[in-house]
């Protein structure tokens, strides 16, 4: 019971961040489709909660792994980055948790991310929450996990496996979104497939370079975490030296700190430079062309930050995510090495 209470408290704390990720905006799809996607996504979220609860109950160290995976999703999904065709979009950040805990852990994280994103940043929506959970936290992670298992059976280099799984998982999120909109707004001449190609020209093409960046970044972070957790091959006498452990972990800690500072700076810089219109805005324009006279009918009016406040809120989100990542890293890595030291002594 205590483990379940801890999980709920942790999930609530994680959710207190305004997030920016891939999303269908509030009022962009009819209520009928909103209900359908809720019915599809809700069982995944429930099973995800039970899955994470069992993991934490079986191994207390899984708290740290869950915090790291969730924080990584929060940080990356806050990074709005310029891409091709004069547009901008967000990374997803779901593959690290998929590969370290399991794809079933991500619907819970995605639900928290998208819910508070809709409430605090006016990105996404409450009515469209089910559709967004399915694309970001179900389709993407499960595609990444399936590819990871498949490529692992072929005994390819691990870095290549992680990169391909991350790239395809990120792309799957945006491809699914394109078809979600195409089903609702088919092209008058070419039907659903014709509309899907139009939405793919917005979401998928924009996401290709960002998925490459996310794949490289995920490989780097996973490798740094693996090196940090690797048991040091030192003798007992060397382990007893108080500075040895710190020196052994210093390169990974410095590298992760530099990545954190870069992630913290990106949302602030985005507020000073024109990085192109977001894919969400372009999708809205495309719906208007496919359905003349279309006007969004929001079912929920959330707080909408000003143009000046939005990058600051994204930066705050990243800062909280970094703090959570640091907590998980400390408990997963430094406490493990301290335990190893006491055991060998």
């Amino acid at each position: 019971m205590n483990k379940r209470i801890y999980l709920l408290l942790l999930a609530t704390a994680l959710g207190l961040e305004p997030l920016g990720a891939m999303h269908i905006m509030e009022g962009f799809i009819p209520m009928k489709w909103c209900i359908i996607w809720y019915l599809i996504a809700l069982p995944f979220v429930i099973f995800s909660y039970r899955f994470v609860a069992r993991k934490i109950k079986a191994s207390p160290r899984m708290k740290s792994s869950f915090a790291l995976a969730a924080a990584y999703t929060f940080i990356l999904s806050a990074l709005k980055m310029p891409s091709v065709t004069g547009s901008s979009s967000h990374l997803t950040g779901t593959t690290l948790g998929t590969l370290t805990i399991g794809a079933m852990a991500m619907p819970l994280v995605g639900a928290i991310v998208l819910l508070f994103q809709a409430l605090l940043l006016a990105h996404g929506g409450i009515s469209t929450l089910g559709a967004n959970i399915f694309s970001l936290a179900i389709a993407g992670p499960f595609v990444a996990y399936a590819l990871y298992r498949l490529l692992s059976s072929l005994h390819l280099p691990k870095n290549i496996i992680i990169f391909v799984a991350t790239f395809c998982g990120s792309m799957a999120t945006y491809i699914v979104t394109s078809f979600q909109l195409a089903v609702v707004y088919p092209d008058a001449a070419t039907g659903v497939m014709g509309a899907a190609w139009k939405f793919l020209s917005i979401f998928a093409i924009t996401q290709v370079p960002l998925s490459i960046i996310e794949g490289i970044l995920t490989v780097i972070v996973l490798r740094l975490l693996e090196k940090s957790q690797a048991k040091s091959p030192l003798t007992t006498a060397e382990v007893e030296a108080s500075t040895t452990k710190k020196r052994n972990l210093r390169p990974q800690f410095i590298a992760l700190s530099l990545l954190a500072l870069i992630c913290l700076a990106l949302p602030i810089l985005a507020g000073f430079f024109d990085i192109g219109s977001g894919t969400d805005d372009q999708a809205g324009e495309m719906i208007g062309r496919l359905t003349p006279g279309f006007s969004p009918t929001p079912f929920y009016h959330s707080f909408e930050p000003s143009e000046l406040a939005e990058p600051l809120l994204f930066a705050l989100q990243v800062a909280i995510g970094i703090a959570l990542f640091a907590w998980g890293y400390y408990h997963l890595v430094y406490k493990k090495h301290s335990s190893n030291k006491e055991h060998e002594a």
Side-chain angles (χ1 to χ4, degrees), residues 262 264-275 311:
I262 293 172
L264 185 60
L266 286 176
I268 299 175
L269 292 175
F272 291 96
F273 298 96
D274 183 10
I275 59 175

Side-chain angles (χ1 to χ4, degrees), residues 122-154:
H123 282 262
I126 298 300
S127 64
T128 58
L129 184 63
N132 292 329
I133 289 174
F134 184 84
S135 60
L136 176 70
I138 298 173
F142 278 87
V143 167
Y145 182 76
L147 276 172
Y148 181 83
R149 293 295 300 270
L150 174 63
L151 296 177
S152 295
S153 67
L154 301 177

Side-chain angles (χ1 to χ4, degrees), residues 8 13 41 67 77 152 155 159 167 172 214 217 222 267 275 315 325 337:
L8 283 173
S77 64
S152 295
H155 305 290
N159 287 347
F167 175 85
E214 183 170 345
L217 186 60
L222 276 172
I275 59 175
F325 193 95
H337 281 261

Side-chain angles (χ1 to χ4, degrees), residues 240-284:
E240 290 177 350
S242 61
T243 60
T244 301
K245 180 183 66 176
K246 295 180 181 179
R247 185 167 59 249
N248 191 48
L249 294 175
R250 190 172 297 163
Q252 291 81 33
F253 177 78
I254 292 174
L256 288 170
S257 298
L258 288 175
L259 288 174
L261 290 175
I262 293 172
C263 291
L264 185 60
L266 286 176
I268 299 175
L269 292 175
F272 291 96
F273 298 96
D274 183 10
I275 59 175
S277 61
T279 51
D280 300 327
D281 298 327
Q282 294 184 359

Side-chain angles (χ1 to χ4, degrees), residues 182-194:
V183 170
V184 180
Y185 302 105
D187 187 272
T190 56
V192 172
M193 287 306 300

